[in-house]
C-alpha cells in the first residue's frame, strides 16, 4: 500500500461520493458564528460605534444585539476600558490583549475577561464571563515556570516534544495531549509525543492523512497560536448583521478566540470521542512545524489567562525546538568538517572538473546517491544518471532566488514541474543550493527508500460519509493500518541544509578569489599582448626603412659599378638585395599578423559560398597555375566576420595550391560538417578544406601553425614567409573556435575549423 498524496486522497474520497475539496475551500474564517459561552462586539475604532454583535449579547450583557449595533460601545464598556482597548489596538494590530472588565447587567455588576484584537478598521471585543472560582495568572505562574525549566533541560527534539506534552497536560488537565509534527507544508502528520489518561488507546507513532488539517486551517494555525473548542456539541451563536454592509460577507473572524470551527472538524472530533479540544501552534522560522493538540472527553472551557499561559508556553517550546535544531545542525556540521575540508582542498579554478572529480566526497557529504553541478550551461554529474529534462527544470527553478538559497524535496515526483521520465525512473528527492541568479546550481539526489508507516486510518480511504449527512467522518482509532511509502527518499534534515550552505559559502569564497586572481592575470596578459602588438607594429615600420635603404644601396652599386667588380662581389650584392627583400616580406607578414589582434570582429550571418567566391578571386590564379580544381559542397551560412573568414579561406586555398600533388587529379574540397572538436564538448558546425596534395608527416604536423614556420625551403613550393597558417589559427581563435588538421603523406591534408558560438 502506498502513501496517498493530497490528490490521491481527493480521488479516493470522490470515489465514495465525497468532495474533499469542500474541506479545503471552506471559508472557516468567515463562518459568521462564535461559541456560545462568550459573546462578541465589533466596534469601529475611529468612532466607537458598534458595527456587529453576537446574538447572545442580551443574555450575557443585558442588551440585545439589534440595540447595540449602530450605538456607542460605551453602553457596555466604561469610557476608561474603551480607551485602554483603543490604545492597545492602535499599537498592536497583530496581537491580542485580555482585559478584566466589569459590566452592569440588569443592575448587577458582572465580571468578564475581554480579549481585544484589531481587524482592519474594527476593534473586536470578545467577552467571556469570569467564573468566581476561576484561577488567576498567579495560580499558573509556578506551573508555567516549572514547565519552562523542564523544557530548557531537554537535549533532543524528541525529549522537548515529550516535555511539552507532559507540561501542557499538567497545566490544563486535558485527557490527551499530543505533539503532532507535519511532514512538509502540505503533508500528513505524525504523533511524536503523547501524554494521556490511563485506559485510552495510545496514538504515539501514528500517522494521520493530510486531509485531516486542510491548507486554509494550517494558515490559521500559523497566524493564531492557540485555538480552543469548549464543546463540540455547542450549536454556536450567529452575528448581527449576518453580512456586513459594503462587503456582503460575514465578519472576518481570523483572529477570534471564540470563532466556531468547521462542521467537518466538529464531526471529526465527535467521531474519535472528543468533547473539547485546544491546539497550540508550533512554528519554525515562521512556518507551521506542528501542533500541541489537547483533547478532553468532557466539555472544558479554558479561561483566557490559562490560554495565554499555554500560548506563552507554545512560544517558548517553538524557540527551544529551534535552539535544539540549531545545536544539532552545528554538531552535524562539525562532524562533517573533515569531509568539507577534503572537498575544498582539491577545488581549483576549474570548479566543474575539480569539485566532482575523483572520489564521492561531495555525495557522501549529504549521504546522497548522486550530485550535479550546473554552471554556465555545462553540467557535471556524479554517482547517478540524470535526465536532461530534470536538469533543465532545476535550472529554471534556480533562476531568480538569491545565491545560497536552499530548496529541497523528498517527494520529487509530486512537484508540479517534475518531468515525466523522472516520475517513472529517476531520483526520489533533491536538495539544491543556487549558485547564481542565472540558473547555476549544485544539487544532491537520493533514490527512493520505501518505508513502513502506521496509520490511524486506511490511507486509501481518507474519508467516509458520516451519520450526520455529508460531514467528514475520517476515522476511528481502533485499527492501525500499515502502509509502505513509495516514491519518497530519506528526508533531508536541517543538518543537510546547513552542510550544503556551508559548502556554498566556502566555494563562493574560493571562486571569488580565483576570479580575482584570473582578473589580475588577464590584465597582465592584456598589457603584455598590447605591448607585443605595439612592438610588432613599431618594429615592422621602423625596420622597413633601413632595409629599404640597404636594398636600394645594393641596387645602385650593381647598376653603377657592376662592370668594375669581380663576380663574387656582384653575387654577394644580389644576395644582399634578395635577403633584404625577403626581410621586407617577413616584416609585412609580421605587421599583418599583429594587426589581427588589434581590431574587433564584426560577426554576422554570411553565406560561406559567397566568401569562397571572393577568396577564389585572389587564390584562383595560383590554383589554376598548379592545376588544382576547387569543389564546394552545399555551403550554408556561418556566423563570422566576413573579412577575416575571407583571409582564412585565401590562406588555406593558397596553401593547397603550394602543396598540390605532383601528378594526377588535383582537387580541393570545401564543405561544412557537424563534428566534435578534439578538445571535447558537443558537436559543432565545422568548415572543412580538404586537398589531395603531398600531405604532412606526422612528426611535423604540430609545427605547421607556428609563425614563420615552413616545412620546405624559402624558394621551394612557391616560396612564402610561413605566416599563412599562423594567421588562420589566430583568426579562428579570435572567433572562439578551434583549428586542427588530419593529414597523411601522399594522401593529402584536411583542415578543420569551428567559429565559436553561433549568434543566430
Amino acid at each position: 500500500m502506498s502513501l496517498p498524496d493530497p490528490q490521491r486522497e481527493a480521488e479516493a474520497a470522490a470515489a465514495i461520493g465525497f468532495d474533499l475539496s469542500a474541506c479545503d475551500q471552506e471559508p472557516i474564517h468567515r463562518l459568521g458564528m462564535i461559541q456560545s459561552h462568550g459573546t462578541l462586539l465589533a466596534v469601529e475604532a475611529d468612532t466607537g460605534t458598534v458595527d456587529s454583535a453576537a446574538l447572545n449579547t442580551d443574555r450575557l450583557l443585558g442588551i440585545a444585539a439589534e440595540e447595540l449595533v449602530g450605538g456607542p460601545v460605551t453602553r457596555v464598556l466604561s469610557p476608561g476600558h474603551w480607551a485602554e482597548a483603543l490604545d492597545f489596538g492602535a499599537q498592536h494590530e497583530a496581537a491580542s490583549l485580555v482585559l478584566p472588565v466589569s459590566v452592569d447587567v440588569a443592575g448587577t455588576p458582572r465580571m468578564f475577561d475581554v480579549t481585544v484584537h484589531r481587524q482592519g478598521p474594527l476593534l473586536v471585543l470578545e467577552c467571556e464571563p469570569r467564573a468566581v472560582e476561576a484561577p488567576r495568572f498567579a495560580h499558573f505562574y509556578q506551573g508555567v515556570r516549572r514547565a519552562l525549566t523542564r523544557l530548557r533541560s531537554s537535549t533532543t527534539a524528541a525529549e522537548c516534544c515529550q516535555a511539552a506534552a507532559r507540561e501542557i497536560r499538567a497545566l490544563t488537565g486535558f485527557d490527551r495531549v499530543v505533539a503532532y509534527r507535519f511532514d512538509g507544508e502540505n503533508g500528513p502528520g505524525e504523533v511524536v509525543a503523547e501524554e494521556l489518561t490511563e485506559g485510552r488507546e495510545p496514538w504515539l507513532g501514528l500517522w494521520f492523512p493530510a486531509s485531516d488539517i486542510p491548507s486554509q486551517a494550517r494558515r490559521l494555525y500559523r497566524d493564531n497560536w492557540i485555538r480552543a473548542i469548549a464543546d463540540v456539541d455547542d450549536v454556536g451563536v450567529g452575528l448581527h448583521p449576518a453580512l456586513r454592509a459594503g462587503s456582503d460577507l460575514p465578519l472576518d473572524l481570523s483572529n477570534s478566540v471564540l470563532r466556531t470551527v468547521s462542521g467537518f472538524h466538529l464531526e471529526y472530533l465527535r467521531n474519535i470521542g472528543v468533547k473539547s479540544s485546544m491546539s497550540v501552534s508550533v512554528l519554525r522560522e515562521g512556518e507551521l512545524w506542528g501542533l500541541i493538540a489537547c483533547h478532553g472527553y468532557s466539555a472544558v472551557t479554558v479561561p483566557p489567562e490559562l490560554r495565554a499561559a499555554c500560548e506563552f508556553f507554545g512560544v517558548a517550546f517553538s524557540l527551544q525546538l529551534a535552539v535544539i535544531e540549531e545545536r544539532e545542525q552545528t554538531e552535524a556540521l562539525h562532524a562533517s568538517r573533515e569531509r568539507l575540508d577534503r572537498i575544498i582542498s582539491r577545488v581549483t579554478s576549474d570548479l566543474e572538473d575539480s569539485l566532482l572529480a575523483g572520489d564521492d566526497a561531495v555525495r557522501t557529504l549529504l549521504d546522497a546517491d548522486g550530485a550535479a553541478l550546473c554552471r554556465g550551461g555545462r553540467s557535471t554529474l556524479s554517482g547517478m544518471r540524470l535526465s536532461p529534462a530534470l536538469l533543465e527544470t532545476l535550472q529554471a527553478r534556480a533562476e531568480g532566488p538569491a545565491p545560497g538559497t536552499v530548496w529541497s524535496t523528498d517527494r520529487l515526483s509530486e512537484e508540479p514541474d517534475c518531468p515525466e521520465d523522472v516520475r517513472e525512473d529517476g531520483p526520489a528527492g533533491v536538495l539544491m543550493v543556487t549558485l547564481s541568479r542565472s540558473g547555476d546550481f549544485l544539487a544532491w539526489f537520493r533514490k527512493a527508500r520505501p518505508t513502513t508507516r502506521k496509520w490511524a486510518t486506511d490511507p486509501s480511504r481518507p474519508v467516509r460519509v458520516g451519520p450526520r449527512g455529508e460531514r467528514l467522518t475520517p476515522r476511528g482509532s481502533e485499527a492501525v493500518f500499515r502502509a509502505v511509502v513509495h516514491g519518497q527518499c530519506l528526508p533531508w534534515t536541517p543538518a543537510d541544509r546547513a552542510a550544503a550552505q556551508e559548502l556554498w559559502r566556502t566555494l563562493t569564497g574560493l571562486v571569488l578569489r580565483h576570479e580575482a586572481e584570473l582578473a589580475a592575470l588577464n590584465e597582465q596578459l592584456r598589457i603584455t599582448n598590447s605591448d607585443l602588438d605595439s612592438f610588432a607594429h613599431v618594429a615592422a615600420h621602423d625596420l622597413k626603412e633601413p632595409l629599404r635603404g640597404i636594398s636600394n644601396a645594393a641596387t645602385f652599386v650593381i647598376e653603377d659599378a657592376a662592370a668594375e667588380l669581380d663576380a663574387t662581389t656582384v653575387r654577394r650584392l644580389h644576395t644582399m638585395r634578395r635577403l633584404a627583400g625577403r626581410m621586407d616580406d617577413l616584416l609585412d607578414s609580421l605587421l599583418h599578423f599583429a594587426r589581427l589582434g588589434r581590431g574587433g570582429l564584426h560577426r554576422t550571418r554570411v553565406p560561406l559560398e559567397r566568401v569562397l567566391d571572393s577568396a577564389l578571386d585572389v587564390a584562383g590564379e595560383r590554383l589554376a597555375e598548379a592545376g588544382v580544381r576547387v569543389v564546394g559542397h552545399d555551403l550554408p551560412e556561418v556566423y563570422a566576420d566576413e573579412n577575416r573568414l575571407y583571409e582564412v579561406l585565401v590562406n588555406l586555398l593558397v596553401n593547397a595550391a603550394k602543396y598540390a600533388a605532383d601528378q594526377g587529379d588535383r582537387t580541393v574540397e570545401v564543405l561544412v560538417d557537424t563534428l566534435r572538436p578534439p578538445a571535447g564538448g558537443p558537436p559543432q558546425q565545422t568548415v572543412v578544406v580538404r586537398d589531395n596534395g603531398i600531405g604532412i608527416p606526422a612528426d611535423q604536423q604540430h609545427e605547421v601553425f607556428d609563425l614563420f614556420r615552413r616545412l620546405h625551403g624559402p624558394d621551394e613550393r612557391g616560396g612564402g614567409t610561413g605566416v599563412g597558417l599562423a594567421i588562420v589559427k589566430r583568426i579562428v581563435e579570435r572567433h572562439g573556435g578551434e583549428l586542427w588538421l588530419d593529414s597523411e603523406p601522399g594522401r593529402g591534408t584536411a583542415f578543420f575549423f569551428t567559429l565559436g558560438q553561433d549568434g543566430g
Side-chain angles (χ1 to χ4, degrees):
M1 187 178 294
S2 299
L3 167 67
D5 62 20
Q7 180 179 355
R8 288 196 290 270
E9 287 185 14
E11 292 172 352
I16 60 171
F18 187 84
D19 183 8
L20 192 58
S21 65
C23 301
D24 198 51
Q25 297 172 4
E26 187 179 20
I28 56 177
H29 62 304
R30 293 188 185 272
L31 295 177
M33 301 278 288
I34 65 168
Q35 299 177 61
S36 64
H37 67 274
T39 192
L40 178 146
L41 301 174
V43 185
E44 294 176 359
D46 292 340
T47 64
T49 302
V50 177
D51 175 88
S52 306
L55 292 172
N56 62 350
T57 55
D58 54 346
R59 177 172 64 83
L60 294 178
L61 301 179
I63 306 175
E66 293 81 359
E67 294 183 46
L68 284 171
V69 172
V73 70
T74 49
R75 293 185 64 188
V76 178
L77 265 64
S78 69
H81 284 141
W82 169 243
E84 186 176 357
L86 192 61
D87 180 64
F88 175 82
Q91 299 181 42
H92 307 281
E93 289 192 10
S96 61
L97 170 72
V98 179
L99 298 173
V101 173
S102 175
V103 177
D104 187 1
V105 181
T108 302
R110 189 173 183 183
M111 290 300 297
F112 289 86
D113 289 315
V114 180
T115 304
V116 182
H117 73 269
R118 187 73 180 248
Q119 185 65 50
L122 303 177
L123 275 187
V124 179
L125 314 175
E126 298 178 86
C127 309
E128 298 173 77
R130 175 183 291 183
V132 175
E133 68 279 7
R136 312 303 331 133
F137 183 77
H139 175 84
F140 305 126
Y141 174 73
Q142 292 300 328
V144 171
R145 183 178 180 184
R146 181 187 66 250
L148 293 177
T149 300
R150 292 177 178 172
L151 198 64
R152 285 197 300 270
S153 66
S154 303
T155 58
T156 67
E159 288 180 5
C160 191
C161 291
Q162 192 62 49
R166 182 171 57 249
E167 299 306 326
I168 286 290
R169 183 163 182 262
L171 283 171
T172 62
F174 274 105
D175 297 295
R176 184 195 301 269
V177 178
V178 302
Y180 183 85
R181 178 188 63 86
F182 293 116
D183 184 18
E185 182 179 357
N186 296 307
E190 178 190 13
V191 175
V192 295
E194 181 180 46
E195 289 288 326
L196 71 163
T197 57
E198 291 185 10
R200 296 288 177 181
E201 181 186 7
W203 290 357
L204 185 63
L206 291 185
W207 287 81
F208 293 80
S211 55
D212 281 17
I213 304 178
S215 58
Q216 94 281 30
R218 299 189 191 205
R219 287 192 295 270
L220 285 179
Y221 280 126
R222 183 193 63 200
D223 297 336
N224 301 288
W225 284 39
I226 196 157
R227 185 81 188 95
I229 302 172
D231 187 348
V232 298
D233 292 321
D234 179 24
V235 296
V237 176
L239 303 181
H240 175 77
L243 303 177
R244 294 189 63 236
S247 69
D248 290 331
L249 292 172
L251 179 67
D252 187 342
L253 297 175
S254 296
N255 299 312
S256 167
V257 297
L258 290 176
R259 172 178 54 82
T260 190
V261 298
S262 164
F264 295 105
H265 184 59
L266 293 175
E267 182 71 13
Y268 173 90
L269 293 175
R270 293 188 192 102
N271 185 62
I272 58 177
V274 170
K275 186 72 171 175
S276 57
S277 75
M278 184 178 74
S279 299
V280 181
S281 301
V282 182
L283 276 74
R284 180 73 172 94
E285 296 181 352
E287 297 300 324
L288 189 64
W289 179 92
L291 300 171
I292 302 175
C294 310
H295 290 162
Y297 298 104
S298 60
V300 175
T301 300
V302 182
E305 291 198 355
L306 179 54
R307 290 200 306 266
C310 292
E311 183 176 6
F312 175 71
F313 181 84
V315 173
F317 174 50
S318 298
L319 293 175
Q320 182 66 14
L321 268 182
V323 168
I324 290 173
E325 289 186 353
E326 290 288 348
R327 184 172 64 242
E328 290 175 346
Q329 289 181 31
T330 301
E331 292 173 353
L333 201 57
H334 180 74
S336 65
R337 189 71 257 178
E338 183 179 347
R339 284 177 289 173
L340 276 169
D341 290 342
R342 187 166 77 249
I343 294 169
I344 297 304
S345 66
R346 70 185 188 199
V347 173
T348 67
S349 57
D350 190 348
L351 186 61
E352 287 77 4
D353 288 338
S354 61
L355 185 62
L356 297 181
D359 60 27
D360 56 356
V362 172
R363 286 189 284 125
T364 57
L365 179 67
L366 267 61
D367 189 24
D369 299 302
L373 173 65
C374 293
R375 192 163 174 257
R378 176 184 172 189
S379 299
T380 308
L381 309 180
S382 171
M384 66 185 304
R385 293 178 57 198
L386 301 169
S387 73
L390 175 59
L391 295 175
E392 290 175 5
T393 298
L394 294 178
Q395 183 178 11
R397 186 180 281 271
E399 291 177 353
T405 301
V406 175
W407 173 81
S408 66
T409 177
D410 54 13
R411 292 181 290 271
L412 180 59
S413 63
E414 297 178 14
E415 293 296 319
D417 56 353
C418 179
E420 285 301 324
D421 58 351
V422 175
R423 290 189 171 97
E424 296 171 1
D425 181 25
V430 57
L431 185 148
M432 176 179 74
V433 57
T434 57
L435 303 179
S436 71
R437 293 183 184 274
S438 60
D440 296 341
F441 66 87
L442 176 62
W444 290 260
F445 303 88
R446 286 177 179 167
K447 298 177 181 178
R449 306 279 179 89
T451 57
T452 301
R453 285 181 177 175
K454 295 190 300 181
W455 292 82
T457 186
D458 183 350
S460 65
R461 294 189 66 211
V463 296
R464 295 191 299 273
V465 176
R468 299 172 185 262
E470 288 197 353
R471 285 286 190 252
L472 186 62
T473 308
R475 67 210 29 80
S477 60
E478 294 81 9
V480 171
F481 293 82
R482 295 184 183 275
V484 177
V485 179
H486 294 287
Q488 183 172 349
C489 72
L490 187 70
W492 305 100
T493 66
D496 291 332
R497 299 171 68 88
Q501 281 198 311
E502 182 64 20
L503 179 58
W504 164 77
R505 278 190 288 269
T506 308
L507 288 176
T508 299
L510 284 174
V511 169
L512 289 176
R513 187 166 73 245
H514 286 149
E515 287 180 350
E517 293 172 355
L518 184 61
L521 291 174
N522 283 337
E523 178 61 18
Q524 293 178 15
L525 182 61
R526 186 193 65 79
I527 294 172
T528 300
N529 285 338
S530 178
D531 290 345
L532 287 174
D533 287 344
S534 298
F535 169 77
H537 187 75
V538 171
H541 275 85
D542 291 352
L543 290 176
K544 284 173 72 70
E545 184 177 351
L547 277 177
R548 201 174 295 116
I550 292 172
S551 178
N552 290 339
T555 299
F556 294 152
V557 171
I558 292 171
E559 291 177 352
D560 296 342
E564 302 174 10
L565 298 175
D566 60 84
T568 300
T569 302
V570 172
R571 187 177 68 252
R572 288 173 177 171
L573 287 172
H574 280 291
T575 300
M576 181 186 302
R577 189 173 63 175
R578 179 174 55 80
L579 291 176
R582 176 162 173 76
M583 186 64 176
D584 188 67
D585 290 339
L586 288 172
L587 288 175
D588 283 337
S589 297
L590 176 64
L591 183 59
H592 180 64
F593 187 80
R595 283 172 179 162
L596 290 176
R598 301 172 69 89
L601 293 178
H602 304 284
R603 301 181 65 170
T604 59
R605 301 289 301 177
V606 296
L608 184 56
E609 186 173 0
R610 184 177 74 197
V611 182
L612 177 60
D613 289 341
S614 299
L616 288 173
D617 289 341
V618 173
E621 186 175 346
R622 291 287 299 271
L623 291 165
E625 290 175 357
V628 177
R629 180 168 52 89
V630 177
V631 180
H633 296 277
D634 297 327
L635 301 178
E637 288 187 342
V638 294
Y639 185 64
D641 182 312
E642 185 168 359
N643 292 329
R644 301 283 81 83
L645 180 59
Y646 159 82
E647 287 190 67
V648 168
L649 292 181
V650 167
N651 279 286
L652 291 178
L653 292 173
V654 169
N655 191 76
K658 289 180 180 179
Y659 300 101
D662 294 327
Q663 58 186 0
D665 183 25
R666 303 172 180 180
T667 60
V668 176
E669 294 181 274
V670 181
L671 58 109
V672 172
D673 201 352
T674 301
L675 303 174
R676 190 183 304 275
Q684 300 180 41
Q685 184 185 54
T686 305
V687 181
V688 184
V689 179
R690 179 185 291 115
D691 64 53
N692 61 350
I694 64 173
I696 305 171
D699 60 344
Q700 295 179 320
Q701 290 178 8
H702 67 284
E703 302 176 9
V704 299
F705 298 119
D706 293 345
L707 190 64
F708 301 134
R709 181 73 173 102
R710 282 180 52 84
L711 303 183
H712 296 82
D715 298 324
E716 298 179 55
R717 293 283 174 180
T721 61
V723 78
L725 292 180
I727 288 175
V728 170
K729 185 173 185 291
R730 187 160 197 181
I731 292 174
V732 169
E733 289 178 347
R734 290 208 61 208
H735 278 77
E738 295 182 54
L739 172 67
W740 69 99
L741 65 84
D742 180 24
S743 184
E744 184 178 343
R747 301 181 66 108
T749 302
F751 289 93
F752 306 86
F753 64 91
T754 63
L755 293 166
Q757 187 173 358
D758 191 338

